[in-house]
Structures are given as structure tokens and as C-alpha cells.
Amino acid sequence: NLDPETFTKFPIDLYVDRKDVRKWELNPKQEEHAKTILNEVHELRQLRYALCPSRMTDSQFWHTYFLLLKNTYVANAPHELH
């Protein structure tokens, strides 16, 4: 769900130490994905603009995005992959 609360209320502390989120960086594949998705998905581009940097850092935004993406993939993966 692409709404601000999905990102701002995401329990990122369950996944990483809060201080590590601020220095987290995209790897080259994630950077390519981020550029592509921002060009293709207007709603995500607007959401990022609304949240960064006033409510979270760009690093926090992308870290949360990729954790959400991973969680969605795992939740929807065939049972054999769990």
C-alpha cells in the first residue's frame, strides 16, 4: 500500500538497528531498481517527495521500501520456497 503511514509506521527496528538505517546505502542493483521504479510509478515518486526529507531520510525511505518488497515477496511466494 503506497501511503505515508505504511512507510512512517513500518517497524524497521525489528529488522535493523535504527542508527544503521541512516547510513544504509543502495547496492548497484537496488539503485537501478529505484531509478526505474521512480520513472515508472508516479505514486511512489510522489510518496518519496512527500516523505523525504521532512519525515524520513532518503536512506530510510529506500531501506523501508526494499524491506516491504522483500516481505511482500516472501508472503506471496509459493509454499515450497518458505
Side-chain angles (χ1 to χ4, degrees), residues 51-66:
L51 293 175
C52 301
S54 62
R55 296 180 66 190
M56 62 178 30
T57 66
D58 199 53
S59 179
Q60 289 170 311
F61 177 86
W62 288 113
H63 204 159
T64 302
Y65 170 83
F66 282 106

Side-chain angles (χ1 to χ4, degrees), residues 1-44:
N1 193 3
L2 292 178
D3 61 65
E5 287 72 36
T6 300
F7 280 73
T8 59
K9 295 183 187 230
F10 184 78
I12 202 163
D13 296 339
L14 295 176
Y15 298 89
V16 293
D17 189 330
R18 176 68 63 178
K19 68 179 183 274
D20 293 335
V21 173
R22 293 193 180 279
K23 60 184 177 184
W24 185 81
E25 294 182 16
L26 297 171
N27 66 41
K29 288 185 180 187
Q30 290 169 326
E31 191 171 327
E32 180 69 28
H33 175 89
K35 288 177 183 177
T36 301
I37 199 80
L38 286 175
N39 285 328
E40 299 293 326
V41 182
H42 180 72
E43 295 85 1
L44 186 66

